[in-house]
Amino acid sequence: MHSKDTISRLYRSVLRIRRFEEVAADIYPSDKIKSPVHLAIGQEQVSVGVCDVLEDGDWVGGSYRSHAMHLAKGGTMNGLMAEMFGKETGCCRGKGGSMHIIDVGAGVMGSSAVVGTQIPMATGYALAAKAAGRGRVVAVFFGDGASEEGCFYESLNFAALRKLPILFVCENNGYAIHEPLAKRRARPEGICAVAEALGVPATRIDDGDIFAIRDGAAKAVAAMRAGQGPVLMEACVYRWRQHVGPDEDYGAGYRERVEAEPWMAADQVAKLAALMAPGQCDAIKAEIEAEVAASVRFAEESPIPAPQELFSHVFA
Ligand SMILES: Cc1ncc(C[n+]2csc(CCOP(=O)(O)OP(=O)(O)O)c2C)c(N)n1
Ligand SMILES: [Mg+2]
């Protein structure tokens, strides 16, 4: 059983991400958002469940599909919306856009558009965290497709060998762009077995349940803080929208809407809402609508970066 506080905190966080992305999707055709968008609508609970058990000094890293991770870890909506608009007030001063989110103050080490590259980078952060000896941990989010990159194996092996405090979170939505797992792996259900073979204990949550994700992460993080080394969590979820872009794509020829329906029926936003008092839900909804609307105004009213900004915060 989870406390009322936990339920309302999780509800607020998943709904906040859902509404941010729905509004961003509505704005997208206007061309005000200056980068491609990869939406996590339907998958928000993975970031929310994991980040719920992280602390301020812990780090997260992710892929191009990382709005949820940023907001769940404590990033501001203003900073993220302005970043998507390419504005100076964005969390990367307009240089990163939707796919390259860095927010050091919120513990977001970065997100990367090159599939899988966040995994070795996060492993390096975990090595640094272990050397610093302050009990900090790292969670790295990546897709099922990324688990087929060579650097996934290298990183897991190194993390297991050095007992690094890193939670590898595989967000398995069953597809790499349009290619289903069964066309890519001889053993589509073998991601955890691969991790175990490399010495990384692994758990699979096959129904996208936010409480199972949160509790699994809590157990893993406690073990990591106690020096027991890395853990892999495979969380099965479903991407409701296109791989990239604001729309649904059930007519695109690679999947049918009927496949999505059980996942939509098990929507975690609705599930959490049903566990709360109606008045409390309405109050949270109203606050979130106001926050999203304010972030759009903030992004619209913010200046575009001055040309000289091109030369700040770059190595060469
Ligand atoms: C190294 C590399 N190879 C290929 C691509 C093209 N690409 C972009 S997203 C993607 C699919 C990745 O799927 P997955 O890891 O499951 O993440 P999801 O998009 O489902 O969240 C591919 C192949 C890329 N960006 N980088
Ligand atoms: Mg995928």
Side-chain angles (χ1 to χ4, degrees):
M1 261 309 277
H2 292 83
S3 71
K4 282 186 178 170
D5 282 355
T6 301
I7 291 168
S8 71
R9 195 173 62 246
L10 296 176
Y11 173 74
R12 163 188 282 284
S13 188
V14 282
L15 183 67
R16 187 169 169 259
I17 295 162
R18 173 75 52 91
R19 291 297 300 138
F20 175 88
E21 288 204 324
E22 285 175 344
V23 169
D26 290 345
I27 294 171
Y28 199 73
S30 70
D31 207 31
K32 288 178 183 167
I33 290 176
K34 299 298 181 193
S35 66
V37 286
H38 299 75
L39 301 176
I41 293 175
Q43 314 186 184
E44 304 92 340
Q45 69 268 32
V46 184
S47 293
V48 171
V50 171
C51 290
D52 194 59
V53 301
L54 297 181
E55 295 170 3
D56 281 348
D58 297 330
W59 289 95
V60 294
S63 73
Y64 43 82
R65 198 183 303 286
S66 283
H67 306 152
M69 174 187 87
H70 177 255
L71 293 175
K73 185 62 175 59
T76 70
M77 214 182 255
N78 280 357
L80 185 58
M81 193 64 92
E83 188 56 38
M84 301 198 10
F85 277 58
K87 296 297 184 77
E88 191 183 280
T89 53
C91 58
C92 302
R93 302 183 67 86
K95 291 190 179 108
S98 162
M99 295 200 289
H100 310 101
I101 303 163
I102 299 177
D103 194 335
V104 173
V108 177
M109 54 158 262
S111 62
S112 170
V114 185
V115 171
T117 46
Q118 69 273 28
I119 305 172
M121 287 194 271
T123 304
Y125 269 70
L127 181 62
K130 182 165 183 179
R134 287 193 283 272
R136 292 296 166 218
V137 303
V138 180
V140 61
F141 298 86
F142 52 91
D144 47 298
S147 75
E148 289 146 22
E149 294 288 352
C151 62
F152 168 79
Y153 299 82
E154 295 168 38
S155 301
L156 264 69
N157 182 58
F158 185 76
L161 184 68
R162 298 291 193 97
K163 288 203 178 316
L164 301 184
I166 179 164
L167 178 60
F168 295 101
V169 185
C170 180
E171 295 187 71
N172 182 355
N173 60 16
Y175 290 93
I177 310 187
H178 299 158
E179 205 68 356
L181 261 177
K183 283 195 185 169
R184 303 175 354 236
R185 293 185 92 103
R187 289 185 63 201
E189 297 192 351
I191 296 173
C192 286
V194 167
E196 299 266 5
L198 291 166
V200 178
T203 55
R204 183 169 203 258
I205 294 155
D206 62 8
D207 60 359
D209 178 61
I210 191 164
F211 297 117
I213 292 168
R214 183 191 178 277
D215 295 349
K219 198 173 150 208
V221 165
M224 282 154 46
R225 290 201 208 281
Q228 291 171 26
V231 175
L232 180 136
M233 177 194 287
E234 179 188 1
C236 299
V237 285
Y238 198 81
R239 162 170 60 74
W240 295 9
R241 304 265 176 124
Q242 297 165 285
H243 167 70
V244 54
D247 301 319
E248 293 189 346
D249 66 351
Y250 299 105
Y254 75 98
R255 60 178 187 171
E256 299 289 336
R257 200 168 214 286
V258 1
E259 189 182 67
E261 277 160 7
W263 293 97
M264 290 174 170
D267 179 19
Q268 301 296 297
V269 175
K271 183 173 91 180
L272 289 162
L275 297 174
M276 292 166 57
Q280 196 189 5
C281 279
D282 293 344
I284 292 175
K285 272 185 204 162
E287 268 174 51
I288 288 172
E289 290 310 314
E291 188 186 8
V292 179
S295 76
V296 174
R297 275 198 306 280
F298 176 79
E300 281 178 341
E301 288 165 8
S302 290
I304 56 166
Q308 61 266 31
E309 183 62 40
L310 276 174
F311 302 102
S312 69
H313 301 111
V314 290
F315 284 109

